[in-house]
Amino acid sequence: SLDMSASGPVQNDGDGKKRGVARQVANLSAGVRRSVFGAVCLAVFTIALLPGEPGEPSLIGWDKLSHIMAFIVLTVLLRAAWPAMTRRTGALGLLTYGLAIELGQSLTGWGRTASLADLVADLVGIGLGFVLLWSLAKLRAIQHAPPSSPSS
């Protein structure tokens, strides 16, 4: 059963032990986590190649926010799928994926164009994804730290 407690959603498997979402995700097989990552990559790539709205690309706008949000999600999913992968390798892989999206957009002829600003937005999303993961790890460490003894 799923329970929403003050520490976030937790799973109670009937044995009295509550398990957080992070542990539940970690308990999924690597194949499942990698399949989810692959499916999201495919969905993002497909959406990125759909015919675009006519008009000038904007430097700040929904398009750039979409890139940032997509790459935050991809970064988190990548770390779940390959937790031992270095941040550098993961970031380079995701940036290469972003470059492939831009190349694909330049070849479609459907009103999509390659954009350096989109790659920068992808990089910002990757960076924010790693900051989010780091912040969550720090929060988890604080929550699981033994209580400190009062100083006299």
Side-chain angles (χ1 to χ4, degrees):
S1 69
L2 189 60
D3 172 29
M4 297 297 283
S5 70
S7 62
V10 293
Q11 180 75 30
N12 185 335
D13 292 334
D15 60 2
K17 295 181 181 176
K18 293 184 176 184
R19 292 169 180 79
V21 173
R23 180 169 288 158
Q24 291 173 35
V25 170
N27 286 337
L28 292 174
S29 73
V32 169
R33 288 178 279 152
R34 291 173 183 171
S35 295
V36 169
F37 174 75
V40 172
C41 283
L42 183 60
V44 168
F45 198 86
T46 301
I47 291 167
L49 295 184
L50 292 175
E53 296 287 325
E56 290 294 314
S58 64
L59 201 55
I60 303 293
W62 288 113
D63 177 55
K64 302 306 172 263
L65 289 175
S66 296
H67 279 265
I68 291 169
M69 294 304 295
F71 277 81
I72 290 171
V73 170
L74 288 170
T75 301
V76 170
L77 291 175
L78 178 76
R79 293 298 284 187
W82 287 278
M85 182 181 291
T86 66
R87 286 186 299 275
R88 180 184 213 174
T89 300
L92 287 174
L94 288 173
L95 192 58
T96 301
Y97 170 74
L99 187 60
I101 288 174
E102 295 307 311
L103 180 61
Q105 286 180 338
S106 72
L107 298 174
T108 63
W110 295 338
R112 296 289 193 164
T113 58
S115 165
L116 181 59
D118 286 350
L119 277 177
V120 171
D122 297 346
L123 198 53
V124 168
I126 293 166
L128 289 174
F130 282 122
V131 167
L132 174 64
L133 289 166
W134 176 82
S135 299
L136 291 173
K138 286 291 187 186
L139 183 61
R140 224 177 355 255
I142 290 169
Q143 288 177 340
H144 293 94
S148 59
S149 61
S151 54
S152 31

